[in-house]
Amino acid sequence: MMSACAEEQLETQFQGEAELKAKIGALSSAFTAYDDEDQKDTRTYIDEHENYESVVGTMWRTKEVIGVYGTLMTNSKFTSTNSKNAGTVSFRGSILGTPKYAYYPYSSQNNGVKQTAVKGNMPSVQKYNLNTKDIVGDYRAGVIDERGWLSSTFTFKRLVSVMKFTVDATGSVLEGDRIRSIAIKVDNQRQITGNFTINLQTQTIDLGQYEQGDDCLTLVWENEPTMSAGAKYSAYTTVLPSMLSGDRMHVTITTDKHIATFSGTSKVSYVANNLYSQVMTFKSIKTMQVEEIEQKAPVVPVYASALKSMKFTVANNPGK
């Protein structure tokens, strides 16, 4: 058995090329987390883990890059060696001392930055492709749970909330349209996008100072699927976990023919490493306001920045 003193000496002297293994912890839970003003269902636990595993955001892609911190290194760059997507993969890079913490995605902006104040930025515009199923802003922090001489294993925890938007245009004026974007704006200056810092020791994030627009997010559907009758379409995005139960969420749907707006109420307070399902059945949203788009002009999706000054008027809506 190695003494504590001998182990410490080993840690401070090791350097060279090394392999680190990384695995992603499971999502804590998944909730139906949205009211569209006309649906009165209560908070419900839903098991979406099986479906969610098909989303690349729960797996490592090829050539992923993480930043590693340790006794004698700060933001050391490690690149994955896997040839296909997997939940546990190996990363290779240069090591000095003993690795202790890691984060994803890697950024050179964290060179020289302390492990308690790693910089991150949640994009206010995120694209989702139904074929590749990539999600953006999927920040994770890892700690060592198995340590070896040339190989150690990190378990990564997701630091953000994942939102799943499911749309159903059956029987509504939007049926047959191609969906281009979903933009949301949250009341009470909740910071769902923008700058933040990560404390790798505690695997938590600290929100930055609120700036105008940090309460907005736009999800762009790259494939622009046609919302056919009887079909549902889903896309995933990530947000900073700041939204609280009772917060109002204002939604703008942009298609190739219409712009639709409505508001809803969050049924839960968002926390990290949870999946929240936002089911939008347009036919049932009686307060939804729809405008036709002038077809002579090119259709441009409504982005989050445009929501800063947009007014939402919803009739016969007492809230929750």
Side-chain angles (χ1 to χ4, degrees), residues 281-298:
T281 305
F282 297 140
K283 183 180 179 180
S284 71
I285 307 177
K286 299 179 175 60
T287 54
M288 184 171 70
Q289 299 182 357
V290 182
E291 296 182 5
E292 291 187 3
I293 294 176
E294 176 58 53
Q295 295 301 307
K296 295 181 180 179

Side-chain angles (χ1 to χ4, degrees), residues 180-247:
R180 295 191 166 176
S181 70
I182 298 177
I184 65 173
K185 184 180 187 303
V186 183
D187 283 352
N188 303 318
Q189 294 188 344
R190 302 294 186 212
Q191 185 186 351
I192 59 174
T193 60
N195 296 319
F196 61 95
T197 57
I198 304 170
N199 186 327
L200 298 182
Q201 294 179 346
T202 59
Q203 291 186 295
T204 57
I205 64 174
D206 295 314
L207 299 181
Q209 184 175 356
Y210 171 83
E211 297 182 6
Q212 187 177 16
D214 285 351
D215 51 3
C216 299
L217 168 74
T218 299
L219 171 63
V220 177
W221 299 62
E222 285 195 321
N223 308 84
E224 296 188 6
T226 299
M227 295 184 289
S228 304
K232 296 180 180 180
Y233 304 87
S234 297
Y236 294 82
T237 186
T238 54
V239 294
L240 299 177
S242 64
M243 202 182 314
L244 299 180
S245 177
D247 282 347

Side-chain angles (χ1 to χ4, degrees), residues 5 99 117-118 127 130 177 191-192 197 203 219 243 248 252 309:
C5 291
V118 173
K127 296 180 180 181
L130 294 173
D177 285 9
Q191 185 186 351
I192 59 174
T197 57
Q203 291 186 295
L219 171 63
M243 202 182 314
R248 299 282 293 162
T252 299
S309 59

